Amino acid sequence: MITLHHVPGARSLRVLWLLEELGLDYRLRNWSLTDGSLRSEEFLALSPAGRVPAIEIDGRVIFESGAIVEYLAETHPEAGLAPAVGEPTRADYLEWLHFAETQANILQALNIHHIFLRPPSARSRPLMALDTKRLAVTMRALEDHLGAHEWLVGRFSAADCMMGFNIDAMFRFVRAEGFANLCAYRDRIAARPAYRAALEKDGGMTLYTRDFYELPDA
Ligand SMILES: N[C@@H](CCC(=O)N[C@@H](CS)C(=O)NCC(=O)O)C(=O)O
């Protein structure tokens, strides 16, 4: 039995969504970002940097969402969610799959500043403004690419599942105006039954209590 180590609303949502797309049986074990459990001996034995996701599968543990997503897609070729080595779209697939993590690192920095850092006076407005601009650049790249593509690499693939954490988070910090292609892509994702099933098992987006997080006053 596969076990996915998960935090609701976190990057592990990518793997949860892909497990649903693949129709696999799995057990979900929820952890918390704030109770210290990700630094417990038990969890560090699964994921040495103390991060989710980690997955127990095929007699071992894999950490890093990109590695897990690639592994799952490649070990289930019948689902057609990863262009094979040698296929023309293979390099595009790898680019976009890993692009998601470039964007997620910026989202994580914004989450830390807007939500987790205590006291709020410890926040750096210049850094928040810089990361908001850097996030907008990644969204512009997606917007331009999606003008000519329904999914990141032509057909739906595991690279799209890597957007599972990003797609909700990005619009909390950058307004949707000017990102029509990205909004339509978000709607296509939201319409997928496997994505909806994953959100249901995730238990809802508990991380964000506001639709939008403005930069604090200078
Ligand atoms: N590159 C890693 C990043 C994982 C990561 O940072 N996950 C966050 C949740 S979205 C986490 O576990 N944070 C806990 C912490 O930083 O203590 C991956 O893609 O799996």
Side-chain angles (χ1 to χ4, degrees), residues 87-143:
E87 272 190 51
T89 53
R90 174 74 181 181
D92 302 304
Y93 165 75
L94 292 174
E95 269 180 355
W96 288 109
L97 192 148
H98 291 280
F99 178 92
E101 192 53 11
T102 293
Q103 188 179 57
N105 281 320
I106 304 170
L107 290 166
Q108 179 165 279
L110 287 167
N111 281 345
I112 287 172
H113 267 97
H114 281 280
I115 296 167
F116 293 111
L117 207 58
R118 292 286 177 273
S121 59
R123 304 188 295 197
S124 160
R125 191 186 191 278
L127 271 184
M128 293 167 86
L130 180 66
D131 276 331
T132 305
K133 282 191 188 143
R134 279 154 53 84
L135 174 61
V137 172
T138 64
M139 290 170 67
R140 178 58 47 199
L142 283 166
E143 174 70 14

Side-chain angles (χ1 to χ4, degrees), residues 10-51:
R11 284 176 180 83
S12 42
L13 181 60
R14 297 164 168 173
V15 180
L16 181 54
W17 176 15
L18 181 54
L19 288 167
E20 288 292 330
E21 291 283 351
L22 293 170
L24 298 176
D25 283 334
Y26 60 90
R27 195 170 72 93
L28 202 55
R29 175 138 180 224
N30 279 340
W31 298 78
S32 158
L33 288 180
T34 52
D35 67 1
S37 57
L38 296 183
R39 297 294 177 272
S40 66
E41 233 176 81
E42 182 192 5
F43 190 75
L44 290 173
L46 298 165
S47 177
R51 308 285 186 99

